[in-house]
Amino acid sequence: MDSTSTPSAAEPGSQITPSQLQFTGNAKEYFGIWIVNILLTLLTLGIYSAWATVRTKQYFYGHTVLDGHRFDYLATPIQILKGRLLAVGLFVIYSVVSGYLPLVGALLALALALLVPWMINQGLKFSMRMTRYRNIRFAFKGNYGEAMVNFVVLPFFSIFTLYLLLPWVLKRIDAYIHSNIRYGDKPVRVQLEGKAYYKAALLVVLLGILVMMILGVVLSLVAGVSMNPGDIGSSQVVLVLIVPAYLFVISALQGIYQAQIRNHILNNAQIEDVAEFKSNLVPQRYALILATNAAAIVLTAGLAFPWAKVRKVKALAAATQVVLLPGADLVLDDAQQADSSFAEEAANVFDVDISLT
Amino acid sequence: MVKGYFYLPNSSRVQEAYARLGDEHIAVYAEDECVFESTLTAVNVAAHLPGQASELTFADGARFVPHDVAYRWPFQQRKSALLARLESNLALILCALVATPILLYALLFKLVPGIAVTAVQTMPDAVVEQMGQQSMVLIERTVLSPSELSAQEQHAVFTLWHDTVAQLGLPAERYRIDVYRSDHFGANAFALPHGQVVVTDELARRLADHPDALRAILLHEIGHVERMHSVRLASQAAVASIAIAMLVGDMDIVAEVVLGSGSALLDLQFSQNMEWEADNYALMQLERLGCSGEDFAQALESLVPLDEEQSQSWLKYLSTHPSLQERIEHARNHTTP
């Protein structure tokens, strides 16, 4: 659309040294932001949570630095608040109805399921449009039909295949999300393989079974020693042991799966003419980080959360390199010019973050 | 002179540049050439964040970001710096650490139940009726099957019920009893908000020789209906989940876990209090029927052997109920003022 955005001569894998992604924030700074966010959110009965979201994201995006330039989070608290009020409104209607009129609630849940693809798209659109690197915004161009198939229909059908289809469905979901992302006027391309998803899933399932067996033996030994029939207290002791152990194991397994999938996605993704990605996250190392994070959070009653989050983000950044191709300087933000004024008006009306999280 | 990056509007182009600040205006130079000039009033300064340089956004979308992450522009508004100062103030952080659990407690254990109780008082009867009927449809479909008791055994339960309801002077069209077989509930009884009480085959059979014990349980269930406990639990759950949805905005999983277990704890405590209320109701009515707390205590005691044999299926019931032993003592010591 512009004469400057001619196809670049760079070939994939050319001799350009990759730039290291860096996270420059620290736990001490984030702890202050986090605790003040919580305090103000509680004092304002939740209203401040919109400002808290913006502040946290600005902190994390702004401390993510690539090639000397930081990322920006652009949403304003009012946009977040509007979206959240809309979502909470829906949620209020749903929880009141399902609490007092369970049958009507079940029907309402079905109707809400039809809204899910739209809400997912809207959430992705919003978070992409609010992300900027070097004055260029990201964008998401998904559609309702594909989102419906990938997020609702296929996961539902995978139940009937005893979840054997699930890794393939997860691959489709990731492919849908990533191939619809754009950086300014440049599309993202991904080539994902089902094989990688099956490999990761199989490993996690096998490890999970192994760990559960070991834990089962250990817990039954502990319970056998301390269990005193008729005394509920001892079963609560077992529960106190089970919950942290469960969190620890689940986090570790999550780490193993996520590290493999993240490496697969990033190593097979590129922004046309602009960038290629390299991710070398070591699964067992990442698993250890997530598991010890979970343990620290539980043991400190949540106080370790800022430290844990910063530690995780640092590990992710450290494992990521980006090869900036010569076209990186030539990207144009087509969002502003290309949208008709009507589309822009409409976008402003619905420019709210729909997702509840 | 401030060194930094100059970002061109709507483009990924970046230039090494420096900004020169005058009294009323600012100029940006790249390669000794002035690339941008603006009055200070037309410049937007980003919010202060620790460890991040404060960037300037110009009217056309161009930006200037200083290299020095600690740099702050002298003309910045005080407002944007306030939050940053709060977040690095040690005294305030310590206050927040103390205040947060207290506020969470006040919110979940005082405000939410308060709103829930108000909601219950204004609840129209038609909603209560619908709530009971629809819940019953769901429960019946999922975990109940027709009773396998003989007509005679069922008749005994019905008679006991009708006598009790009649003696208490409660409206017979509102209060009804049904007997169902249920593998899910085991030996159990529960009340629905609109006055329907369900007794399982197993419980009826076990207490066939202890009609006083069964009556004590029935009175306890009537107590739940009279005090609108199901409606209160539903309001409680709805209000709590709304409060959590409002709060969880950006507090991530931890907050969800803390808030979630807080509200679960609250539910548990709430339902424990409800059991005591229902017990007290049963004790009061027994008194009116010419029985004493001792009768109720004995009735509960007849449940004890059942409790031990069946600790598995009773575990669910007990987690929300105060311990049987405590209830028996409470019944013994009960004196109507």
Side-chain angles (χ1 to χ4, degrees):
Chain A
M1 66 179 305
D2 193 287
S3 58
T4 50
S5 63
T6 47
S8 154
E11 282 154 46
S14 55
Q15 300 301 311
I16 308 169
T17 44
S19 310
Q20 176 66 45
L21 193 69
Q22 281 176 307
F23 183 74
T24 56
N26 67 59
K28 191 170 154 256
E29 282 170 356
Y30 177 50
F31 188 88
I33 295 175
W34 178 73
I35 194 77
V36 170
N37 276 346
I38 290 183
L39 182 70
L40 292 178
T41 298
L42 289 174
L43 282 176
T44 56
L45 297 180
I47 302 294
Y48 186 80
S49 71
W51 278 260
T53 301
V54 168
R55 196 125 179 104
T56 306
K57 292 227 164 130
Q58 280 177 343
Y59 184 81
F60 278 91
Y61 282 49
H63 274 294
T64 304
V65 178
L66 176 65
D67 193 33
H69 307 288
R70 69 193 197 195
F71 283 79
D72 298 295
Y73 184 68
L74 300 168
T76 60
I78 295 296
Q79 288 172 312
I80 306 266
L81 186 65
K82 275 197 284 187
R84 196 156 288 163
L85 287 178
L86 202 75
V88 168
L90 267 181
F91 184 68
V92 167
I93 293 170
Y94 176 70
S95 55
V96 167
V97 167
S98 63
Y100 298 121
L101 311 169
L103 280 185
V104 182
L107 288 177
L108 200 63
L110 224 67
L112 282 177
L114 291 178
L115 263 183
V116 164
W118 180 78
M119 288 184 14
I120 289 173
N121 278 342
Q122 213 61 23
L124 283 166
K125 265 183 198 167
F126 186 81
S127 61
M128 282 300 131
R129 192 168 46 241
M130 294 307 153
T131 306
R132 181 176 68 187
Y133 178 70
R134 286 177 159 205
N135 260 7
I136 301 288
R137 290 172 175 222
F138 286 81
F140 182 80
K141 306 226 181 283
N143 63 61
Y144 180 88
E146 274 182 69
M148 186 73 182
V149 169
N150 288 320
F151 286 102
V152 181
V153 177
L154 289 179
F156 181 72
F157 276 117
S158 79
I159 298 171
F160 301 109
T161 64
L162 297 171
Y163 293 107
L164 286 177
L165 217 57
L166 195 61
W168 176 75
V169 174
L170 292 174
K171 186 211 93 170
R172 295 229 1 173
I173 287 176
D174 282 341
Y176 169 75
I177 292 175
H178 290 92
S179 60
N180 281 305
I181 293 175
R182 297 166 68 86
Y183 176 63
D185 56 357
K186 302 291 182 187
V188 171
R189 307 233 183 271
V190 281
Q191 278 302 326
L192 300 185
E193 280 173 25
K195 213 171 72 185
Y197 283 79
Y198 276 97
K199 214 184 99 199
L202 194 67
L203 185 62
V204 165
V205 168
L206 290 179
L207 276 174
I209 292 171
L210 188 71
V211 172
M212 287 303 158
M213 269 163 56
I214 296 171
L215 268 183
V217 170
V218 170
L219 278 173
S220 65
L221 283 178
V222 172
V225 172
S226 69
M227 186 65 106
N228 167 11
D231 180 12
I232 321 279
S234 64
S235 71
Q236 271 162 356
V237 169
V238 174
L239 218 69
V240 165
L241 286 174
I242 287 178
V243 172
Y246 177 79
L247 274 177
F248 190 84
V249 170
I250 289 293
S251 315
L253 293 178
Q254 245 176 11
I256 295 203
Y257 180 81
Q258 284 173 1
Q260 294 181 74
I261 296 303
R262 180 182 196 269
N263 288 345
H264 179 66
I265 293 175
L266 283 184
N267 289 330
N268 292 290
Q270 56 164 311
I271 305 174
E272 212 176 67
D273 302 335
V274 176
E276 285 172 10
F277 305 92
K278 293 197 190 313
S279 169
N280 50 1
L281 194 58
V282 183
Q284 55 270 36
R285 218 184 96 70
Y286 191 55
L288 192 67
I289 290 176
L290 290 197
T292 46
N293 273 357
I297 289 171
V298 170
L299 291 176
T300 58
L303 285 183
F305 177 74
W307 170 80
K309 185 167 176 180
V310 167
R311 183 168 171 240
K312 177 181 153 186
V313 173
K314 272 200 166 141
L316 288 176
T320 311
Q321 291 84 36
V322 181
V323 180
L324 290 167
L325 304 174
D329 282 336
L330 304 172
V331 184
L332 292 174
D333 197 342
D334 60 351
Q336 273 87 346
Q337 298 111 312
D339 281 353
S340 71
S341 63
F342 172 75
E344 206 148 320
E345 286 285 308
N348 278 333
V349 174
F350 293 107
D351 206 358
V352 291
D353 189 9
I354 306 289
S355 59
L356 252 182
T357 47
Chain B
M1 207 171 80
V2 186
K3 279 194 172 164
Y5 280 128
F6 182 66
Y7 296 82
L8 273 70
N10 299 328
S11 151
S12 61
R13 275 242 195 96
V14 188
Q15 291 175 304
E16 277 285 349
Y18 59 89
R20 197 163 269 165
L21 199 57
D23 279 345
E24 291 296 320
H25 85 292
I26 185 166
V28 177
Y29 296 86
E31 287 156 12
D32 289 327
E33 204 178 313
C34 181
V35 287
F36 195 86
E37 236 177 325
S38 169
T39 57
L40 289 184
T41 47
V43 175
N44 187 19
V45 188
H48 275 253
L49 280 158
Q52 290 180 24
S54 78
E55 69 175 39
L56 301 178
T57 306
F58 305 117
D60 65 348
R63 290 184 300 138
F64 181 79
V65 182
H67 286 327
D68 178 7
V69 292
Y71 187 77
R72 297 290 181 258
W73 301 95
F75 59 92
Q76 260 170 311
Q77 312 98 309
R78 295 248 162 266
K79 197 181 66 182
S80 68
L82 178 69
L83 262 181
R85 254 183 290 138
L86 288 181
E87 287 161 356
S88 55
N89 185 321
L90 196 66
L92 182 87
I93 288 175
L94 288 177
C95 283
L97 278 176
V98 178
T100 299
I102 298 172
L103 278 171
L104 261 179
Y105 175 82
L107 202 74
L108 283 180
F109 289 81
K110 300 287 171 214
L111 192 69
V112 166
I115 294 173
V117 167
T118 317
V120 170
Q121 281 159 358
T122 55
M123 189 67 58
D125 284 345
V127 174
V128 176
E129 184 70 29
Q130 276 299 313
M131 183 184 165
Q133 281 176 6
Q134 296 192 6
S135 311
M136 190 58 202
V137 171
L138 285 178
I139 296 171
E140 209 177 353
R141 291 241 171 104
T142 48
V143 289
L144 297 180
S145 36
S147 173
E148 288 168 359
L149 291 184
S150 68
Q152 200 190 350
E153 284 171 305
Q154 293 197 22
H155 185 73
V157 176
F158 292 146
T159 314
L160 185 67
W161 175 260
H162 290 304
D163 288 351
T164 311
V165 170
Q167 279 173 332
L168 295 178
L170 294 168
E173 71 279 2
R174 182 175 146 102
Y175 284 92
R176 50 177 289 204
I177 192 164
D178 290 290
V179 187
Y180 284 92
R181 197 178 77 81
S182 170
D183 299 329
H184 177 82
F185 287 117
N188 217 330
F190 59 88
L192 288 147
H194 62 310
Q196 185 175 17
V197 169
V198 172
V199 173
T200 64
D201 282 9
E202 219 174 313
L203 186 72
R205 243 183 221 141
R206 273 172 184 276
L207 297 182
D209 301 333
H210 305 272
D212 281 341
L214 187 56
R215 179 152 71 171
I217 290 179
L218 295 182
L219 280 170
H220 173 95
E221 297 306 330
I222 292 175
H224 280 314
V225 178
E226 281 290 293
R227 299 278 187 262
M228 297 182 83
H229 286 159
S230 313
V231 188
R232 263 163 63 188
L233 271 181
S235 307
Q236 170 77 29
V239 177
S241 54
I242 291 161
I244 288 169
M246 274 312 280
L247 293 182
V248 168
D250 191 51
M251 292 198 238
D252 273 286
I253 330 143
V254 195
E256 241 167 291
V257 170
V258 171
L259 291 172
S261 53
S263 77
L265 210 67
L266 175 66
D267 265 2
L268 202 69
Q269 199 204 13
F270 214 52
S271 50
Q272 287 234 6
N273 287 341
M274 285 179 178
E275 296 311 320
W276 285 122
E277 257 187 67
D279 268 11
N280 284 335
Y281 177 88
L283 286 166
M284 251 166 62
Q285 301 307 329
L286 277 170
E287 200 104 5
R288 272 184 57 198
L289 298 176
C291 307
S292 70
E294 185 58 33
D295 291 330
F296 189 69
Q298 276 173 10
L300 286 173
E301 259 172 355
S302 71
L303 287 172
V304 173
L306 181 108
D307 181 15
E308 272 173 9
E309 280 167 43
Q310 286 236 321
S311 59
Q312 250 350 70
S313 70
W314 276 81
L315 210 58
K316 267 184 272 177
Y317 189 61
L318 284 175
S319 58
T320 54
H321 278 60
S323 91
L324 213 45
Q325 214 53 51
E326 271 181 82
R327 290 173 68 190
I328 292 167
E329 268 168 44
H330 179 73
R332 286 236 156 83
N333 299 331
H334 181 82
T335 43
T336 314

